[in-house]
Amino acid sequence: MTVLASPAPIRKMTLSPLNRRRLANFRANGRGWWSLWIFLVLFLVTLGAEFITNDRPIVVQYKGETLFPAFVTYPESTFGGFLATTDYRQPFIADEIAANGWALWPPVHFSYQTVDIYLPTSGANPPTWMLSRDAACANYPMGVADPACNWGNFHWLGTDDQGRDVLARLIYGFRISILFGFILTILSSVVGVVAGAVQGYFGGWVDLIFQRLIEIWNSVPALYLLLIVSSVIAPSFWVLLGILLLFSWVALVGIVRAEFLRARNFEYVTAARALGVSDRTIMWRHLLPNAMVATLTFMPFILSGSVATLTSLDFLGFGLPPGSPSLGELLAQGKDNLQAPWLGLTGFFTLALMMTLLVFIGEAVRDAFDPRKTFA
Amino acid sequence: MSGPLLSVRDLSIGFGAFEAVRKVSFDIEAGETLALVGESGSGKSVTALSVLRLLPPAASLAGSIAFEGQNLVTLPEPGLRAVRGNRVGMIFQEPMSSLNPVHTVGRQIGEVLAVHQGMRREAARRRTLELLDAVGIPDPQRRLEDYPHQLSGGQRQRVMIAMALANDPKLLIADEPTTALDVTVQAQILALLKDLQRQTGMAMLFITHDLTIVRRIADRVCVMTKGEIVETGPTAKIFSAPQHAYTRHLLAAAPQGKPLAPPADAPEVVSASDMKVWFPIRRGLLRRTVGHIKAVDGVSLSVRRGETLGVVGESGSGKSSLGYALLRLIGSEGRIVVLGEAIDEKSGKALRPFRKHMQIVFQDPFGSLSPRMSVAEIVEEGLRVHRPDLNAPQRADKRDAALREVGLDPGSAGRYPHEFSGGQRQRIALARALVLEPAFLVLDEPTSALDVSIQAQIIDLLRAIQQRHGLSYLFISHDLRVVKALAHRLIVMKDGLVVETGAADAIFAAPQHDYTRQLLAAAFSETPHQLPGAPQTD
């Protein structure tokens, strides 16, 4: 028996006309469009921070073996030593590898917590290019002739007061800020949308009680709570994320709730109820798309807010655990070491650039979803 | 005075590349009423707005509009302002959005007087009172301080008319002034306009889609379609001997035909007894219930297989609430029996199996379809819930059958609602209901938002489907002409109560209740003055 299957519904994988117009609107905002690309390049580059600045080589060919020190921790015994981990910056390890193979290093030979032991002076050192070659290589065992006094050990943006490379800390710090911001934004959007959706859809008592709870919750001073918590436990990345999430999900509730309140009386929602579609499906399939525009418009601003929050906590010393690369900590060092302006300037320009890019992108997204522009 | 009051010559209006109006010409003599008739999209409202140059800036205007010998197309803005609201008044369709909600009625009328006549407060107040009295607002002294939301729809439209008449205009442009109103109120407003016209001798340009109104009020008619005037002539002549094919089509389009004879002793599909939908009124800090709005108050009904029960009433009569309550979409009291089982005690999941037997089609075909779902998804949604046993091709087969049933091409299933016209959308909504093969369908004003010619098609379609499947309808409408074409029995509702019920033929032939008589008179009479016992309050 041959069954003539009727053609499946034609689902175009291309963008709907509406979304195409939104994309065109987004591109029309040149500032936002370029900001997006610059931001994406910066983000992707810093995602691969280990390949740019690291105190371990990316690939090592040693006695016929191919090793990947950037990803795998090899004991020093691999190279004839006795320590549990290998310090590839040690001259004798470098010599050992050079004698029995080769090593591919990233452009900068420092990780965010590598302390450079051959610095010319103690404390914060200015960028190497501000010094003469003699001064820069002064403390290397063989002085100017030392093979380690090379481009790889160049401090492009100087070091902080503990002798750590600022560029390395900057790249790792940028990455952790953005990742923290993204995770916080996504989690708080999910929680906020769910909470707003439930309130808006069911309305009545659920809405009334939830709204009052949120008002009380909002009036809890989040900063002080953080201070108290961080004095009890040393906040790790995830603990910090959790605490900030406790307060940041509220941001989206209002708009999502309003969208759901508005849309729940639409006739197509009543029609779905008459069809017997469950509440959860109605919320997901019929109402959520209405709230998505408001949510997406808000997201870049939540992202920049999250990054700023993390930075300010780090600045105050209540943020990520000590030693973590962070922009806030860099700013704090800049404040404490006014004689080393490269610290403060680096932190300031990086943050200013990041915030500006995010806000420009946010404005372009807002323009793209603006119904007055969409249908103009 | 020589020449007509308003003379429009070769008027063309374009929005970008799209030409909304093409080479339209008409004249209005002093004291005359000219009706501009057409379906939605015919360009009639744009034409009316262009007379006072109230079009959005994107519109381009060509031709001439001469008012008392002055060409309004080239008149500079200050000159125009002296015409607008002064020598030419205008009233719009939606009285709620045409009045500013944050100002009192007295202030809004006073503003018109102050702008054009420079009247001081006391004089303006006296004139406002006169005007409100003239348009039949009871107790104008008190109403002066009222805000628009404190007035009924009919009263608001009366206030709008008072504003338009404040400066004794020579010409009144009325853009669908009664479309948003109930039939009895509609009749009163028309009578009022006719009356005021007799007193003041003003001319009227009346824009409407409703031919019954045209017949009652207009001296001459211009029929518009697709941006052109296809026929002009005296009202009587247009109605008795239409020349153009489109005019004939429009006149023939009124819902016609008789309901099919239902099987004699068909089983009862749905019955309800003593249905009550009460909304509590809560006051004070503790939100104590101080009373109830009785939207539906003790209504009993039953619908047999293959039968249509018409529910007739004006807005606020509770007819839609009744339909929603029967489907358990809003809370109610009273017994509801569907196919022999009581469903009024059931809720949530227990109710779901019954949902496939009873479906609903709404009034607004633009609001009842989710704009983000394709037709296929919309029609199949119910199947996913009620027929989880079907696989995708089987669902698609059922969907295509439903689309064919309502006269749509199944090939269009991948498209989105915005690509369809109003009538087609209403067919999609109908397909969504029919795909579940229900026994009972609530039709909540399914034709009210459609043009007359489309209305007739939908009515024919509903009748054909009823015949094919023996479906039962609860047909909710304020439009008695549509009900007459479909209903076997009738319930007339007013303020949540049933005022009259019985066989449709009997009620149309010999209405028993005063209110029914009033409704019938408003819907079927041909002049505005055949309104037995129409009260002057709204």
Side-chain angles (χ1 to χ4, degrees):
Chain A
M1 189 178 95
T2 52
V3 179
L4 264 179
S6 64
I10 310 136
R11 291 309 306 262
K12 286 163 280 182
M13 280 314 288
T14 49
L15 287 171
S16 71
L18 179 65
N19 283 334
R20 231 175 296 156
R21 212 161 352 168
R22 283 174 175 160
L23 186 65
N25 273 341
F26 184 79
R27 295 178 66 157
N29 186 328
R31 209 167 53 185
W33 178 244
W34 280 108
S35 296
L36 177 70
W37 281 110
I38 297 172
F39 179 79
L40 279 181
V41 167
L42 287 179
F43 180 54
L44 287 177
V45 165
T46 52
L47 262 188
E50 277 85 0
F51 297 103
I52 300 165
T53 127
N54 206 342
D55 56 358
R56 300 168 173 193
I58 303 167
V59 187
V60 166
Q61 183 80 29
Y62 178 70
K63 290 184 177 166
E65 245 184 308
T66 309
L67 306 171
F68 298 96
F71 308 101
V72 185
T73 304
Y74 300 103
E76 212 181 38
S77 54
T78 320
F79 306 99
F82 51 87
L83 292 174
T85 56
T86 315
D87 181 359
Y88 298 89
R89 293 176 52 80
Q90 285 283 345
F92 80 89
I93 297 278
D95 293 343
E96 177 72 18
I97 292 173
N100 295 293
W102 50 264
L104 177 67
W105 279 83
V108 180
H109 298 191
F110 302 102
S111 182
Y112 63 92
Q113 47 190 0
T114 317
V115 177
D116 188 353
I117 50 175
Y118 301 128
L119 284 173
T121 57
S122 65
N125 275 269
T128 314
W129 47 265
M130 285 173 71
L131 306 169
S132 69
R133 183 158 169 81
D134 289 337
C137 300
N139 273 349
Y140 282 89
M142 289 152 71
V144 180
D146 197 296
C149 188
N150 57 14
W151 287 106
N153 286 328
F154 214 78
H155 296 289
W156 294 95
L157 295 172
T159 68
D160 64 6
D161 56 5
Q162 294 170 43
R164 297 174 301 195
D165 185 58
V166 172
L167 179 65
R169 292 187 68 73
L170 187 69
I171 290 177
Y172 284 87
F174 188 91
R175 177 172 75 174
I176 212 167
S177 294
I178 296 294
L179 286 180
F180 186 90
F182 267 126
I183 297 173
L184 184 58
T185 305
I186 289 167
L187 288 183
S188 51
S189 299
V190 169
V191 178
V193 166
V194 169
V198 168
Q199 284 173 55
Y201 184 72
F202 293 105
W205 279 107
V206 177
D207 188 35
L208 201 71
I209 290 170
F210 247 107
Q211 283 289 299
R212 299 297 83 74
L213 282 178
I214 286 177
E215 275 161 24
I216 295 167
W217 194 240
N218 251 344
S219 56
V220 173
L223 185 64
Y224 298 123
L225 197 87
L226 264 168
L227 301 192
I228 295 165
V229 170
S230 61
S231 67
V232 179
I233 46 170
S236 69
F237 182 88
W238 295 106
V239 171
L240 206 59
L241 194 75
I243 298 170
L244 287 181
L245 178 61
L246 282 182
F247 296 95
S248 67
W249 63 272
V250 185
L252 270 177
V253 172
I255 39 177
V256 175
R257 167 178 169 268
E259 288 291 337
F260 270 65
L261 269 180
R262 185 175 70 91
R264 70 172 177 151
N265 290 325
F266 282 179
E267 279 184 346
Y268 61 80
V269 175
T270 315
R273 280 172 56 213
L275 285 173
V277 181
S278 67
D279 285 340
R280 215 179 308 166
T281 315
I282 291 178
M283 286 160 85
W284 177 258
R285 197 182 294 160
H286 295 272
L287 291 172
L288 195 61
N290 287 306
M292 269 341 272
V293 169
T295 309
L296 283 176
T297 310
F298 231 69
M299 268 180 145
F301 299 104
I302 296 184
L303 179 59
S304 57
S306 306
V307 172
T309 312
L310 178 69
T311 308
S312 46
L313 285 175
D314 280 339
F315 179 75
L316 293 173
F318 297 106
L320 295 168
S324 316
S326 104
L327 301 174
E329 197 246 16
L330 187 63
L331 285 180
Q333 284 215 17
K335 188 197 73 171
D336 294 338
N337 298 289
L338 288 177
Q339 85 287 355
W342 53 89
L343 293 173
L345 287 176
T346 306
F348 167 76
F349 281 117
T350 309
L351 271 173
L353 176 73
M354 186 158 72
M355 293 294 152
T356 311
L357 290 179
L358 285 177
V359 170
F360 283 170
I361 296 171
E363 283 178 347
V365 171
R366 192 191 56 201
D367 281 1
F369 285 110
D370 186 345
R372 278 168 303 175
K373 292 200 175 171
T374 312
F375 299 107
Chain B
M1 211 181 96
S2 62
L5 180 71
L6 180 80
S7 171
V8 175
R9 285 283 165 275
D10 293 335
L11 178 72
S12 295
I13 303 163
F15 293 91
F18 171 68
E19 234 182 358
V21 173
R22 273 191 305 278
K23 300 250 175 208
V24 161
S25 304
F26 58 89
D27 293 321
I28 303 178
E29 304 287 342
E32 165 189 64
T33 302
L34 177 76
L36 218 49
V37 188
E39 302 198 322
S40 55
S42 62
K44 57 189 192 305
S45 283
V46 178
T47 307
L49 287 171
S50 73
V51 171
L52 287 179
R53 293 237 315 266
L54 292 170
L55 295 168
S60 60
L61 213 61
S64 78
I65 302 169
F67 177 71
E68 295 184 321
Q70 207 172 13
N71 189 351
L72 299 184
V73 173
T74 52
L75 196 65
E77 198 61 18
L80 261 180
R81 277 203 289 277
V83 176
R84 286 178 190 158
N86 191 18
R87 287 187 288 154
V88 179
M90 184 141 188
I91 47 181
F92 299 92
Q93 174 172 355
E94 185 48 71
M96 190 68 214
S97 50
S98 316
L99 290 170
N100 189 332
V102 299
H103 292 308
T104 61
V105 165
R107 194 166 157 192
Q108 295 191 51
I109 301 177
E111 189 187 10
V112 184
L113 294 167
V115 167
H116 290 292
Q117 301 184 19
M119 267 196 197
R120 292 309 175 94
R121 192 180 289 178
E122 251 327 289
R125 190 184 151 84
R126 262 201 311 281
R127 174 78 179 127
T128 307
L129 280 178
E130 264 174 50
L131 284 166
L132 288 180
D133 197 45
V135 297
I137 295 235
D139 197 3
Q141 197 84 31
R142 198 164 55 81
R143 288 301 187 191
L144 219 48
E145 301 307 317
D146 276 354
Y147 289 90
H149 72 264
Q150 291 168 295
L151 307 174
S152 70
Q155 283 173 334
R156 274 186 226 126
Q157 199 57 287
R158 283 170 196 266
V159 170
M160 278 300 295
I161 294 171
M163 272 172 81
L165 296 182
N167 294 310
D168 290 320
K170 292 277 185 3
L171 173 66
L172 180 69
I173 301 174
D175 186 3
E176 305 251 7
T178 57
T179 308
L181 304 173
D182 282 326
V183 264
T184 52
V185 182
Q186 211 169 40
Q188 292 164 21
I189 295 287
L190 290 178
L192 171 71
L193 282 172
K194 205 74 201 162
D195 214 39
L196 290 168
Q197 188 178 28
R198 233 194 334 267
Q199 286 168 26
T200 61
M202 65 181 175
M204 246 200 296
L205 175 60
F206 203 97
I207 289 89
T208 185
H209 68 277
D210 190 339
L211 287 167
T212 26
I213 292 179
V214 174
R215 191 183 281 216
R216 283 185 217 171
I217 198 160
D219 301 318
R220 286 193 308 126
V221 183
C222 292
V223 181
M224 271 190 94
T225 180
K226 291 175 187 149
E228 286 176 64
I229 291 184
V230 293
E231 188 166 1
T232 309
T235 309
K237 191 160 164 264
I238 293 268
F239 276 90
S240 59
Q243 299 299 311
H244 194 273
Y246 179 74
T247 316
R248 281 199 290 271
H249 165 72
L250 208 58
L251 287 171
Q256 280 167 349
K258 297 283 292 168
L260 314 150
D265 49 343
E268 218 166 57
V269 174
V270 170
S271 70
S273 51
D274 203 22
M275 291 259 296
K276 283 180 184 146
V277 180
W278 287 12
F279 299 110
I281 307 168
R282 295 208 168 94
R283 290 268 160 73
L285 198 62
L286 296 172
R287 317 282 302 153
R288 271 185 312 150
T289 305
V290 294
H292 288 93
I293 296 170
K294 299 176 180 176
V296 177
D297 197 13
V299 174
S300 303
L301 57 86
S302 80
V303 188
R304 292 173 183 284
R305 196 177 130 79
E307 183 187 52
T308 303
L309 176 65
V311 181
V312 179
E314 304 198 322
S315 57
S317 63
K319 56 191 194 306
S320 286
S321 297
L322 176 67
Y324 281 29
L326 272 179
L327 297 189
R328 296 291 319 274
L329 291 171
I330 52 174
S332 65
E333 277 175 47
R335 198 172 164 74
I336 306 167
V337 179
V338 173
L339 298 173
E341 251 190 282
I343 61 161
D344 50 289
E345 296 289 315
K346 296 191 193 319
S347 68
K349 281 217 170 77
L351 202 57
R352 204 169 289 163
F354 292 92
R355 292 249 179 247
K356 73 164 179 268
H357 300 306
M358 39 187 209
Q359 279 302 307
I360 183 163
V361 175
F362 296 96
Q363 170 175 2
D364 178 11
F366 291 89
S368 63
L369 304 175
S370 175
R372 289 181 180 81
M373 288 166 74
S374 69
V375 172
E377 287 170 309
I378 289 171
V379 177
E380 285 180 30
E381 180 160 41
L383 287 178
R384 285 175 197 277
V385 175
H386 294 289
R387 300 292 304 274
D389 53 308
L390 297 181
N391 59 23
Q394 286 171 320
R395 264 204 310 273
D397 282 346
K398 281 200 167 288
R399 172 198 78 211
D400 290 348
L403 287 175
R404 264 193 291 272
E405 172 105 66
V406 298
L408 286 175
D409 173 21
S412 59
R415 289 158 65 189
Y416 284 81
H418 68 89
E419 299 172 62
F420 294 87
S421 69
Q424 286 173 322
R425 287 168 143 251
Q426 206 58 299
R427 287 171 194 262
I428 297 170
L430 197 55
R432 168 174 61 190
L434 289 178
V435 78
L436 295 177
E437 293 158 16
F440 175 60
L441 205 52
V442 172
L443 302 161
D444 187 6
E445 308 248 14
T447 58
S448 303
L450 305 174
D451 282 328
V452 249
S453 55
I454 314 283
Q455 266 183 17
Q457 291 169 14
I458 295 285
I459 296 291
D460 289 343
L461 175 66
L462 287 171
R463 206 185 287 130
I465 290 170
Q466 181 165 51
Q467 185 175 29
R468 222 173 300 149
H469 300 285
L471 224 64
S472 310
Y473 293 147
L474 183 78
F475 192 89
I476 299 166
S477 183
H478 70 275
D479 188 342
L480 286 158
R481 281 165 291 180
V482 178
V483 174
K484 194 175 185 180
L486 211 55
H488 301 109
R489 285 189 302 121
L490 223 53
I491 290 183
V492 182
M493 283 184 76
K494 185 175 198 287
D495 301 330
L497 294 165
V498 174
V499 295
E500 188 163 357
T501 175
D505 296 345
I507 291 184
F508 280 116
Q512 297 302 307
H513 195 275
D514 265 353
Y515 180 70
T516 317
R517 274 199 285 273
Q518 228 177 66
L519 278 178
L520 287 175
F524 295 107
S525 77
E526 303 206 343
T527 69
H529 302 293
Q530 296 181 351
L531 277 179
Q536 274 303 299
T537 51
D538 297 322

